[in-house]
Amino acid sequence: MSVPFRLEDSIQPARHPDLEPATEPPAEAGQSSELSGVGRRSVRGFLWTTLAWGCNRLAILGLTLLLARLLTPEDFGVVTAALTVIAMLDAALDLGVGAAVISDQESGITHRIRTAFTVNLAIAVLIAIAGALCSPLIAALFHARTQSFVFALIFCYPLFRGAGQVNDAVLKRDLRFRRRTSIDVVRAIVRVAVSIPMALTVGGAVSIATGIVAGELAAMALLWVMVPIRPYVRLNLTTVRGLLSFGGQVTAIRVLGSFRSSVDYVVVGAALGATALGFYGMAYKLPELLIENVLWIFSAVALPAYSQARAAGHEALLTAMLRATRLLALYGLAIGTALCVLARDAVPVLFSERWTPAVIPTMIISLSLGIMAIAWASGDVFSAIGRPGALLVLDVPATLLMTGAFLLAPRWGLVGVATVHLIFNCCYCVARLGLLKAVTRVTTRSLLTAVLPGLGVAALTAIAGFGIAAMLPSGRLLSLVILGAVCALAVAAGSLLFARGSVLDAVRTALPIRGRSR
């Protein structure tokens, strides 16, 4: 696309010229300068977002380490079940109007922004009310009838989160990620400050749920202060239809993706019970902290960055995507493999011996999320070129197949469920890259060039890590320290051997340049 499309009273799919095969072609001088500026702001936005999420997740990890010794697996299972339902609803919380706000690239708080805020606030209120009314039924599904009040309480989360989503979208649209850092830091501080006293006094799953809700309330209040938006009392239906025509496609993709990422929790809770779900949820803690959270950090930056990069042309957009794919594949595969090596010692040492049943699921899930990182960078490209619905061709049948496989998996316990997760992500990754190739005509060689360095680093880490692990006793702090050092050295050596140029390029892009505006 030579110029960015805009969201007018009705949003139409973006038009673009015939697509040619692309690798990383040279751009014209003006385009190169513009793309470089966008890239630098995007990388800095990623770094600020990483700082925010890092503080948030490290605080939550510390909280989890403490609560794992104060509460039972069943308590964690109840909260995991509640958050699973919330995660499914969260994907549809703004009906895609936040993505429409970002893609629109308007300036300031326009009437469209105010309309989006009003629509989103109404949706959040309806979801919270409906969820609270249905909480006894949801609790029964997870064999936790006595904990229905916890499910009702946790439905305050989508209310507060939804009420601030459009405000957050404005910050993302303007690449103002430094301001978003303070929001995540406050969210983490409030969650810890509320959960620990509750766990020491009241105890039970309600202590975790209260901390989560309080943290989101604080984040919403801060967003309203940073980006004040007045809602409309009377909505312009034409504007609403315009927002939802684009946002509806994005929402469908999000809902399917959220369902795929949560259906294993539902199956484990319904088939194996809250205690088994507590173990399974704990198996996700480290992979989620170190891999999945980083992918979501990237998603917070990707759509606004891609939307600005497309102004330099379709080839420039693909260049940005290929660079992101190379770095995410490198990171995800390296960390996933390292966590697979470390899991046998990390789980009992960090969470205590009673969480040992989560060791093998942690190993499998770590590999699965590492593989998921390979195709992650391509998702927002479809929205950036105005074709978010193209992913539905893949996601609808993929979701049906995954659901069927998960329904059969509990007969083999938690390991069976985690294995289905791994196999699905392998197949989905290949299919997603195939769809990307068909839609954008990016070359197979370009995709392989982006992915192979990560596979090389992962192979080297696995050989070194498992080789040393075979000579060390399991479940010991010393073994964890030694294996951590071995994996770190293997990742560093592999990165220099297979992806030195990409790593150095990312560092150069991130470093500030004197005299250049931020």
Side-chain angles (χ1 to χ4, degrees), residues 329-330 333-334 451-463 490 493-495 497-498:
L330 177 65
L333 290 170
V451 173
L452 287 177
L455 293 175
V457 173
L460 182 60
T461 304
I463 293 171
S495 298
L497 181 62
F498 300 113

Side-chain angles (χ1 to χ4, degrees), residues 437-454:
K437 184 176 181 294
V439 172
T440 66
R441 297 187 185 178
V442 64
T443 64
T444 302
R445 180 179 179 180
S446 299
L447 292 174
L448 289 175
T449 301
V451 173
L452 287 177

Side-chain angles (χ1 to χ4, degrees), residues 211-361:
I212 292 171
V213 170
E216 206 56 49
L217 173 60
M220 180 204 73
L222 195 54
L223 279 167
W224 280 14
V225 170
M226 286 187 175
V227 186
I229 302 175
R230 290 183 295 108
Y232 276 131
V233 177
R234 299 181 63 181
L235 295 176
N236 184 306
L237 295 182
T238 302
T239 303
V240 173
R241 283 195 299 269
L243 287 166
L244 297 183
S245 64
F246 179 89
Q249 298 179 65
V250 175
T251 298
I253 299 299
R254 286 179 178 173
V255 169
L256 290 173
S258 178
F259 181 82
R260 289 196 305 275
S261 66
S262 304
V263 66
D264 51 343
Y265 284 93
V266 176
V267 170
V268 170
L272 302 178
T275 299
L277 183 57
F279 286 120
Y280 190 76
M282 190 62 74
Y284 256 95
K285 291 302 179 184
L286 293 176
E288 180 184 51
L289 172 69
L290 296 176
I291 303 175
E292 192 170 41
N293 283 339
V294 173
L295 299 182
W296 284 113
I297 291 170
F298 172 82
S299 291
V301 180
L303 182 56
Y306 286 165
S307 296
Q308 292 193 15
R310 75 184 175 208
H314 182 75
E315 300 294 343
L317 175 61
L318 289 186
T319 297
M321 184 274 296
L322 287 169
R323 290 174 178 169
T325 296
R326 185 179 298 111
L327 291 174
L328 286 186
L330 177 65
Y331 176 83
L333 290 170
I335 300 300
T337 305
L339 284 178
C340 184
V341 173
L342 298 173
R344 66 158 205 175
D345 302 305
V347 171
V349 169
L350 295 178
F351 302 123
S352 80
E353 292 286 344
R354 66 175 168 178
W355 295 98
T356 300
V359 169
I360 296 179

Side-chain angles (χ1 to χ4, degrees), residues 413-484:
L414 298 182
V415 173
V417 177
T419 301
V420 167
H421 198 288
L422 173 61
I423 294 172
F424 174 82
N425 271 343
C426 290
C427 298
Y428 183 82
C429 176
V430 174
R432 167 78 84 83
L433 293 179
L435 179 63
L436 177 71
K437 184 176 181 294
V439 172
T440 66
R441 297 187 185 178
V442 64
T443 64
T444 302
R445 180 179 179 180
S446 299
L447 292 174
L448 289 175
T449 301
V451 173
L452 287 177
L455 293 175
V457 173
L460 182 60
T461 304
I463 293 171
F466 284 115
I468 298 299
M471 298 183 288
L472 297 173
S474 63
R476 306 288 180 83
L477 175 60
L478 181 58
S479 298
L480 177 60
V481 172
I482 293 173
L483 287 176

Side-chain angles (χ1 to χ4, degrees), residues 78-88 151 154 157 191 212 262:
V78 169
V79 175
T80 300
L83 290 177
T84 297
V85 176
I86 296 303
M88 292 182 178
F151 289 84
I154 208 72
Y157 172 90
R191 181 171 176 176
I212 292 171
S262 304

Side-chain angles (χ1 to χ4, degrees), residues 113-258:
I113 302 294
R114 293 180 61 191
T115 299
F117 176 79
T118 306
V119 170
N120 212 49
L121 184 60
I123 294 169
V125 170
L126 290 176
I127 288 177
I129 293 174
L133 293 176
C134 294
S135 57
L137 297 177
I138 299 172
L141 173 65
F142 291 98
H143 309 287
R145 289 182 174 84
T146 60
Q147 301 283 350
S148 60
F149 67 95
V150 175
F151 289 84
L153 173 62
I154 208 72
F155 268 98
C156 292
Y157 172 90
L159 172 62
F160 300 143
R161 186 168 184 83
Q165 276 191 325
V166 172
N167 311 67
D168 191 46
V170 171
L171 292 178
K172 292 178 184 177
R173 178 199 66 186
D174 298 335
L175 298 179
R176 292 157 66 186
F177 291 98
R178 184 184 299 183
R179 287 197 171 193
R180 294 186 73 246
T181 301
S182 60
I183 297 169
D184 277 326
V185 171
V186 168
R187 180 186 283 117
I189 291 173
V190 172
R191 181 171 176 176
V192 172
V194 172
S195 293
I196 292 178
M198 287 284 292
L200 292 173
T201 54
V202 178
V206 68
S207 60
I208 307 175
T210 303
I212 292 171
V213 170
E216 206 56 49
L217 173 60
M220 180 204 73
L222 195 54
L223 279 167
W224 280 14
V225 170
M226 286 187 175
V227 186
I229 302 175
R230 290 183 295 108
Y232 276 131
V233 177
R234 299 181 63 181
L235 295 176
N236 184 306
L237 295 182
T238 302
T239 303
V240 173
R241 283 195 299 269
L243 287 166
L244 297 183
S245 64
F246 179 89
Q249 298 179 65
V250 175
T251 298
I253 299 299
R254 286 179 178 173
V255 169
L256 290 173
S258 178

